[in-house]
Amino acid sequence: MSEARHIVTSYGQELQHLRTLMTEMGGMVESQVALATQAIVSGDPAVATQAVELDASVDAQDREAEQLVIRMLALRQPMASDLRQIVAAMKITAALERIGDYAKNMARRSIVLGQYRLPFSMAGLANMSRLVQENLKLVIDALGENDAGKARQVWVSDQAIDEIYNSIFRELVTYMMEDARNITPCTHLLFIAKNLERIGDHATNIAEHVHYAVTGEALTEQRPKGDGSAYAVVRLPDDVDAA
């Protein structure tokens, strides 16, 4: 009996360790996005460097979580809700690692932007980043609390981020058309805005995984999305450095 209890306790400890790894990783990428945004708005390269350097810790946490998931699947043979949570964790940590990559690239582009004097406001980008950070914080809370309601709240709120992205896209293209000197800095800003939009998408993906892990039910209805007509002609590729 004592041996069986030890096995169950160890399994429970592994599940808790996995949850802890995910929430810690979530906190790191929250910090990365906040630092990257601060670097863009302030033009401070030291803050940008902090965001870039934090990525190594995010990657290390991702590798540890992946190894733990593989071990638990191989040795514990989990079933039902435990299996859902473990499989969801693998997808969630992958999404968090991707968010960290986007934040790192935002920070790197902010350093380049510091070489230019921008003749326009950064208010739209700052507002978009605020909404993205709010969603990211909420989905990390949902993850830590196993709260399907909060996860769904994130899932339905991505439309506002899409709409701001579309507005920023139009605005930056207009600036580039008005003055060729704006092309280089506006191109960097377009990629930064795209990074933020993708971070928002990954937050909603995490929300889907949390909801399924907690309830066993997928969010099957069509997710609300903003009008994509602003960038129907030019689709920016994902701006992610895999290193």
Side-chain angles (χ1 to χ4, degrees):
M1 178 67 72
S2 60
E3 182 180 355
R5 183 178 296 115
H6 172 74
I7 292 173
V8 171
T9 301
S10 177
Y11 179 46
Q13 289 173 342
E14 286 179 342
L15 279 172
Q16 183 55 49
H17 182 46
L18 183 59
R19 294 189 192 101
T20 300
L21 284 172
M22 285 191 293
T23 53
E24 288 179 352
M25 192 175 174
M28 289 180 190
V29 298
E30 277 189 78
S31 297
Q32 264 191 294
V33 175
L35 287 167
T37 300
Q38 183 184 345
I40 292 162
V41 175
S42 69
D44 188 339
V47 176
T49 300
Q50 290 180 52
V52 172
E53 290 178 346
L54 191 55
D55 197 58
S57 298
V58 173
D59 289 346
Q61 204 85 338
D62 179 46
R63 288 191 295 271
E64 183 177 353
E66 181 182 30
Q67 291 168 3
L68 180 56
V69 165
I70 292 171
R71 171 185 168 82
M72 294 177 75
L73 289 173
L75 300 181
R76 302 299 186 182
Q77 298 181 338
M79 300 180 67
S81 63
D82 286 349
L83 179 60
R84 290 201 311 270
Q85 289 186 41
I86 293 169
V87 172
M90 185 165 53
K91 295 179 179 180
I92 288 167
T93 53
L96 289 171
E97 191 274 336
R98 198 74 166 171
I99 289 172
D101 285 341
Y102 286 122
K104 176 180 65 177
N105 288 342
M106 286 169 56
R108 285 177 172 172
R109 287 187 181 275
S110 77
I111 296 174
V112 179
L113 277 175
Q115 303 171 18
Y116 297 88
R117 297 188 64 180
L118 304 180
F120 42 82
S121 172
M122 300 283 283
L125 201 66
N127 188 37
M128 183 181 180
S129 182
R130 177 183 59 81
L131 292 179
V132 168
Q133 289 180 75
E134 287 176 357
N135 266 11
L136 188 55
K137 181 181 186 308
L138 188 59
V139 82
I140 298 306
D141 289 345
L143 175 62
E145 300 165 12
N146 281 333
D147 191 325
K150 286 183 178 179
R152 185 178 181 83
Q153 185 179 340
V154 172
W155 189 77
V156 300
S157 63
D158 190 53
Q159 183 176 0
I161 294 170
D162 290 337
E163 290 172 351
I164 294 176
Y165 170 70
N166 294 338
S167 176
I168 290 172
F169 189 101
R170 294 187 187 99
E171 183 180 10
L172 291 174
V173 169
T174 300
Y175 288 136
M176 288 190 285
M177 293 173 65
E178 289 177 346
D179 190 338
R181 290 173 296 183
N182 291 333
I183 291 176
T184 298
C186 284
T187 299
H188 286 291
L189 288 170
L190 280 172
F191 275 107
I192 287 171
K194 182 62 177 177
N195 288 161
L196 284 170
E197 188 263 344
R198 293 298 293 139
I199 290 172
D201 284 345
H202 279 293
T204 56
N205 290 340
I206 292 170
E208 290 177 1
H209 298 316
V210 171
H211 187 278
Y212 179 72
V214 173
T215 67
E217 298 176 357
L219 291 166
T220 55
E221 62 265 41
Q222 185 68 33
R223 188 167 74 195
K225 299 290 289 180
D227 175 21
S229 61
Y231 53 104
V233 178
V234 181
R235 287 289 293 178
L236 294 177
D238 277 357
D239 181 32
V240 172
D241 180 358

